[in-house]
Amino acid sequence: MSGRGLRPVSGPPARLRRLPAAVPRDRLQRHQMLWLGGRSVAWMPPLLLLVGIVVTDWNAGRDFRIISWLVLVPGIAAAICGVWGTAAFAVLTTLTYLVADRTWPEEFQAGLPDFLLTAIGGVLATLACAIRVSGEERMLHMRDVTDTIRRTVLRPLPPGWGGLDHAAVYLTADVEAAVGGDFYDIQPGPHGTRVLLGDVQGKGLGAVEAAAALLGTFRESAYHEPDLVTVAERLETRMIRHAGHCAALGRDDADRFATAVLLSFPAHDPGTLESVVFGHDPPLVIGPSGVRQLPPGEALPLGLGELTGTPEPPSVLRSPLAPGETVLLTTDGVTEARDAIGTFYPLADEVARAVAADPRLAEPRLLVSFVRDGTLRHCGGLLADDTTVFAVRRPG
């Protein structure tokens, strides 16, 4: 589940998982690089700076006093410590200045102006730290909101969900975003297990909203409807209704559409795969016998079915599926990834060569990792669009 590129999907790094549970989350976010042996060492840089300034001032000549440089100490603390830590350094710096400036009366005295500079600098540093911490807390709150949206739109899929081995990698072109217009899901039901992957046209919250609407319809209809064609019709109707709602609100994204792939693993026929392709890149089937592409079909993207004048139900394509074969679905972030000279990523050829060299690569987890790494390597880590790699297969 990246400045652009791979976004981690397996939870926090091991060094964060080892930290005490009582450590506040905001401190984890601020100081995750300033921990040693389970304890924060954010106080060390400003303390070392303070000691260094005092020692240098002690050993410098009488005409070279740098004691007023202590004003830098609370400034450094404000960048890496908490509010109370910064305030403590502000007080410590002021007291250190008073002691050091008066200890050696034969030396040149910096006097009241530099004392005021140090004191006022400490106060300003504490205020700046308070503003910084407040901004971090708002950022963490927004990240929590974004994570909630992600879990709602792209719900976590348990291992073996719907009787399928599966693996997915989701990368956003915007490193600050957690979810975009790509969507996927698995829905088991009494008529078999259905799989949906799609890509909403456009970006931003409007694309996320459309993806959420389609996923909600898929999760209900894929469970209740016995025929895959009915599920496909409901998805088309939902996209049209969503566009009508956006138009009624006067939004400029009312003509939004979505490409998608709808699959069904029938419960009564384990050797068959049913598919409906809505203007999307057809899936690849990878197995011991090689790599083949499913038929593209003739269905238009979701939301554009009315362009034909008299929309007809999409045709369901049935393809043989041998034991051990994996179905690979990707969005155009993979197939349209370009290298420095503008060449598209040759997905099918790359996968075919890799599987021929190592048939174990057909395993979903290894397959999505291979495609992810190959895509990022091909485009130099600069994704032009949201990218989803999704692989499913019946257990061997």
Side-chain angles (χ1 to χ4, degrees):
M1 226 168 243
S2 125
R4 303 184 182 194
L6 177 62
R7 181 177 298 275
V9 294
S10 59
R15 66 175 184 274
L16 294 188
R17 291 196 297 267
R18 292 194 299 265
L19 295 178
V23 175
R25 185 169 180 264
D26 61 338
R27 288 176 59 194
L28 282 180
Q29 297 292 333
R30 288 200 303 269
H31 310 318
Q32 56 180 305
M33 299 300 294
L34 294 172
W35 285 87
L36 182 63
R39 295 181 180 274
S40 173
V41 293
W43 51 270
M44 288 188 64
L47 181 61
L48 291 175
L49 178 62
L50 184 148
V51 173
I53 291 174
V54 172
V55 171
T56 304
D57 186 73
W58 170 274
N59 292 282
R62 62 178 298 171
D63 295 328
F64 184 73
R65 300 298 307 278
I66 64 169
I67 196 64
S68 59
W69 290 15
L70 287 173
V71 72
L72 299 175
V73 173
I76 298 297
I80 59 178
C81 296
V83 177
W84 288 108
T86 302
F89 272 109
V91 173
L92 180 61
T93 297
T94 304
L95 295 177
T96 302
Y97 175 87
L98 286 174
V99 173
D101 193 44
R102 297 176 183 228
T103 299
W104 310 291
E106 70 279 3
E107 301 288 346
F108 170 77
Q109 303 294 303
L112 181 62
D114 286 351
F115 169 76
L116 293 177
L117 173 66
T118 304
I120 294 174
V123 173
L124 293 178
T126 303
L127 293 176
C129 181
I131 294 173
R132 190 206 88 215
V133 171
S134 177
E136 288 180 349
E137 290 175 348
R138 287 195 300 271
M139 179 191 68
L140 291 172
H141 175 69
M142 293 305 299
R143 185 175 299 175
D144 288 339
V145 172
T146 303
D147 290 343
T148 301
I149 294 174
R150 178 188 175 96
R151 289 193 299 269
T152 301
V153 177
L154 300 178
R155 62 180 181 178
L157 297 175
W161 184 239
L164 299 179
D165 292 334
H166 60 83
V169 169
Y170 182 75
L171 311 174
T172 55
D174 181 2
V175 71
E176 298 297 332
V179 65
D182 289 4
F183 57 92
Y184 61 89
D185 201 3
I186 298 175
Q187 180 58 59
H191 310 290
T193 298
R194 275 73 184 264
V195 175
L196 178 68
L197 176 138
D199 181 5
V200 177
Q201 174 263 336
K203 301 181 184 297
L205 293 178
V208 178
E209 182 183 0
L214 289 172
L215 283 172
T217 298
F218 167 73
R219 289 162 184 165
E220 288 302 311
S221 60
Y223 180 86
H224 291 286
E225 298 298 338
D227 298 324
L228 192 64
V229 65
T230 306
V231 180
E233 290 177 324
R234 291 206 173 188
L235 290 172
E236 171 68 19
T237 302
R238 186 67 183 94
M239 194 65 195
I240 294 174
R241 289 174 54 203
H242 179 75
H245 179 259
C246 294
L249 293 175
R251 288 166 44 174
D252 57 2
D253 60 348
D255 57 348
R256 196 183 298 273
F257 61 89
T259 63
V261 176
L262 177 63
L263 302 178
S264 178
F265 294 81
H268 61 279
D269 190 359
T272 299
L273 176 68
E274 299 178 342
S275 64
V276 179
V277 180
F278 297 94
H280 200 86
D281 293 325
L284 298 177
V285 178
I286 298 99
S289 60
V291 177
R292 72 178 192 276
Q293 189 177 65
L294 292 181
E298 300 178 353
L300 294 175
L302 294 169
L304 301 182
E306 294 180 337
L307 295 180
T308 59
T310 56
E312 297 181 356
S315 57
V316 176
L317 305 174
R318 291 174 174 81
S319 306
L321 189 66
E325 288 189 321
T326 299
V327 183
L328 175 66
L329 306 97
T330 63
T331 57
D332 55 10
V334 174
T335 55
E336 296 182 4
R338 298 173 182 262
D339 60 11
I341 61 175
T343 304
F344 291 115
Y345 177 58
L347 173 63
D349 294 340
E350 289 287 323
V351 171
R353 281 196 294 267
V355 172
D358 184 3
R360 294 176 301 174
L361 196 67
E363 180 186 344
R365 180 179 57 86
L366 299 178
L367 183 60
V368 298
S369 297
F370 172 82
V371 175
R372 174 199 62 194
D373 296 343
T375 302
L376 294 174
R377 184 171 53 250
H378 185 78
C379 67
L382 300 177
L383 297 174
D385 198 359
D386 294 342
T387 301
T388 300
V389 186
F390 192 34
V392 294
R393 74 174 179 183
R394 293 184 184 272

